Amino acid sequence: FKNYKKILCMLKFLRISTVYPKVLEQFSKDYPNVNKLSFKKYSKFFFDQYYNQSNFLTSELKKYNYDCMEFLSNDKLMQEKWINYHGNKESNEDILIQVIKYFKPQILFFDNINLVNDELIKKIKLLNFIKLILGFHCSPINNSIKKNINRLDAMVTCTPGYKKILFNKYKKKTLLMPHAFSIKTKIKKKIKRDIDVSFIGSLFLGSKLHNKRIDLIYDILKNFKNSYIAINFSKYFFYQIIVLLLISLKSFKLVLMLKRLYKLSYIYLFSKGPIFGKNMYKILNRSKILVNMHISDTKYAGNMRMFEGTGCGCLLITDKIMGNKSYFDNKVEIIEYDQINKVINMCFYFLSNKNELKKISTNGKKKTFEYHNYEIRAKLLDNFIRNKLKIYV
């Protein structure tokens, strides 16, 4: 295996990604002096905070003979630093084109395919050193996303459901690469698990998004004083509420909607703001139980919280959904629920049965460390790239 990695030809890989604007806001508040750092030091420092997927994938790809670079397309400070050190301030070229021309990758990986507009792709396809343009997508597909999918050579996604859509409907060669846990985030010193129940995630309103989470989050807040509920609300949250009210009036479901609005208001007032990166991992390492629910648009398991939660040693209580078995064994490594109203009693049960909680959470952590790490995911991506390019040695 080691010899195999040595004889692989070197490939240059550029991953262009984005982070939530709230991540950048929090980062600038926490680290106001980073503007003094060079581009290289700034990039390393930023990715070492472990926001979202950070540079976990490209760090592992290097083990398979890749020269990798990461670039955040929505981080203005990173862009300014790159221009100062490597770019041309006077150029009329888009900064992404400048970065691509500078690094000269054979493989271009768009982690956010909202970036893939027609003008950008036309310019990229004029560059003869680029052999493969990949895009990652694992969420609802709107009309804009449809156009961007068609502009790419191949796709990467995180669940079998989205793979079927991308391959069958859009005829795109698609790699199924589930999310994973990075061993880099492991906290070395032992932290006391002093939080009973946690929920960390977004609450974007919409029938294909997170409407089903409202009852679940509300019930946890009402029943557990010793909980940590961190919610990322959409910037269109209040606009979405107005739309829902109008829809309810039209469909004569006002009473039902008023109940939902009460719960939403309660969540908005008593939950904590979103947490990211190292701060999130600290909370997960303090949590006994992590409750999880997938987005309504998918019938398949595999969101990031499954692996982050188990990797940090929480007992994961997650919705019963297709594909759970491909990652974890129910009642052995995780706990599944089929109805939201059962979750609270499940949490009380395991908080009262500490040995059982510890046994299942330990099994889940072991499974994640062995089978759901980024080195394994990077190997999947490496095989896909080399098969696509027909490059083996």
Side-chain angles (χ1 to χ4, degrees):
F1 181 64
K2 289 180 180 177
N3 289 335
Y4 165 75
K5 288 196 286 188
K6 285 179 182 177
I7 62 170
L8 289 176
C9 66
M10 173 71 77
L11 291 171
K12 298 190 78 174
F13 182 98
L14 172 59
R15 179 174 176 262
I16 298 174
S17 58
T18 57
V19 291
Y20 286 131
K22 289 177 183 177
V23 168
L24 296 173
E25 289 172 18
Q26 191 62 52
F27 180 71
S28 62
K29 286 179 185 176
D30 292 343
Y31 307 105
N33 296 322
V34 290
N35 59 335
K36 299 175 183 177
L37 299 176
S38 67
F39 169 75
K40 187 176 181 180
K41 288 181 178 178
Y42 173 86
S43 297
K44 183 180 186 308
F45 186 79
F46 186 92
F47 291 120
D48 282 349
Q49 305 314 306
Y50 307 145
Y51 299 122
N52 297 32
Q53 293 180 340
S54 185
N55 61 343
F56 301 145
L57 184 64
T58 49
S59 294
E60 297 299 333
L61 267 180
K62 290 175 183 177
K63 296 177 181 178
Y64 301 102
N65 217 13
Y66 284 77
D67 181 10
C68 298
M69 179 181 175
E70 293 267 356
F71 193 79
L72 290 173
S73 66
N74 66 333
D75 184 346
K76 289 183 179 179
L77 187 54
M78 180 177 283
Q79 292 178 13
E80 288 172 10
K81 289 180 177 297
W82 189 88
I83 285 286
N84 288 337
Y85 281 83
H86 304 296
N88 181 357
K89 292 179 184 178
E90 308 303 321
S91 174
N92 292 322
E93 283 188 327
D94 183 280
I95 188 167
L96 289 183
I97 293 296
Q98 288 197 51
V99 171
I100 292 165
K101 284 185 173 180
Y102 171 81
F103 188 64
K104 291 184 171 56
Q106 288 128 314
I107 300 98
L108 192 54
F109 186 96
F110 285 97
D111 193 64
N112 181 351
I113 65 169
N114 283 300
L115 303 171
V116 186
N117 59 62
D118 197 40
E119 185 181 349
L120 180 65
I121 287 295
K122 282 179 181 176
K123 291 177 181 177
I124 288 171
K125 289 193 172 179
L126 293 173
L127 306 174
N128 59 12
F129 51 81
I130 292 178
K131 306 301 180 187
L132 184 63
I133 309 172
L134 300 173
F136 177 85
H137 192 72
C138 201
S139 60
I141 298 171
N142 57 32
N143 289 331
S144 175
I145 294 295
K146 288 176 187 177
K147 291 178 183 177
N148 293 351
I149 289 168
N150 291 325
R151 294 175 178 130
L152 298 166
D153 297 325
M155 293 294 299
V156 181
T157 193
C158 65
T159 71
Y162 285 122
K163 180 180 178 179
K164 286 179 183 177
I165 293 169
L166 291 165
F167 184 75
N168 295 334
K169 191 171 182 179
Y170 300 105
K171 311 302 178 188
K172 284 292 172 183
K173 181 75 173 176
T174 303
L175 169 68
L176 173 61
M177 185 177 71
H179 289 303
F181 179 77
S182 174
I183 311 299
K184 288 167 69 176
T185 65
K186 184 180 177 183
I187 296 174
K188 293 178 182 178
K189 63 179 182 178
K190 193 171 181 179
I191 296 177
K192 184 179 178 182
R193 292 196 181 270
D194 56 355
I195 299 171
D196 287 337
V197 183
S198 288
F199 183 96
I200 298 171
S202 296
L203 189 51
F204 296 168
L205 303 181
S207 60
K208 291 187 176 182
L209 298 172
H210 305 129
N211 282 359
K212 290 182 180 179
R213 290 183 179 181
I214 296 169
D215 290 336
L216 177 65
I217 298 167
Y218 174 79
D219 288 347
I220 297 171
L221 276 170
K222 290 290 285 186
N223 284 278
F224 296 98
K225 290 183 180 179
N226 187 23
S227 63
Y228 196 102
I229 312 299
I231 304 297
N232 178 35
F233 290 97
S234 166
K235 63 180 180 179
Y236 305 111
F237 179 68
F238 293 106
Y239 168 76
Q240 289 173 330
I241 286 177
I242 293 169
V243 171
L244 287 173
L245 269 173
L246 293 172
I247 292 170
S248 67
L249 285 169
K250 190 176 180 180
S251 59
F252 302 103
K253 294 180 179 179
L254 185 59
V255 174
L256 183 66
M257 184 53 63
L258 287 174
K259 287 181 180 178
R260 178 166 284 182
L261 284 175
Y262 169 76
K263 291 182 178 182
L264 275 170
S265 301
Y266 191 91
I267 294 168
Y268 191 83
L269 290 171
F270 295 103
S271 65
K272 294 176 174 59
I275 52 171
F276 307 101
K278 287 183 176 179
N279 290 332
M280 181 194 72
Y281 287 107
K282 285 177 183 176
I283 294 299
L284 291 178
N285 277 279
R286 289 173 54 197
S287 301
K288 298 170 188 173
I289 295 172
L290 177 71
V291 177
N292 180 54
M293 178 182 273
H294 288 80
I295 192 169
S296 296
D297 185 64
T298 184
K299 296 179 181 178
Y300 290 87
N303 66 9
M304 289 181 69
R305 214 67 74 228
M306 289 185 74
F307 307 108
E308 292 165 342
T310 52
C312 289
C314 305
L315 171 65
L316 181 75
I317 297 182
T318 190
D319 44 341
K320 188 174 183 179
I321 188 170
M322 288 173 65
N324 274 344
K325 288 182 181 178
S326 61
Y327 304 120
F328 301 101
D329 290 330
N330 184 32
K331 299 181 181 178
V332 177
E333 296 155 341
I334 61 167
I335 298 296
E336 296 177 352
Y337 63 88
D338 54 6
Q339 294 177 27
I340 291 171
N341 57 16
K342 292 181 180 180
V343 173
I344 300 305
N345 287 336
M346 284 180 169
C347 291
F348 278 124
Y349 172 82
F350 284 105
L351 290 171
S352 301
N353 293 271
K354 296 178 182 178
N355 289 338
E356 201 170 344
L357 185 153
K358 186 175 181 181
K359 182 180 178 181
I360 296 172
S361 59
T362 300
N363 289 341
K365 183 175 183 177
K366 183 180 178 183
K367 184 68 164 286
T368 293
F369 271 51
E370 289 183 5
Y371 296 100
H372 305 307
N373 60 68
Y374 275 95
E375 183 173 5
I376 288 172
R377 304 300 191 246
K379 184 69 173 68
L380 280 174
L381 183 57
D382 171 50
N383 286 338
F384 183 77
I385 289 169
R386 293 183 187 276
N387 284 328
K388 188 74 179 165
L389 295 179
K390 295 180 172 52
I391 298 175
Y392 305 102
V393 292

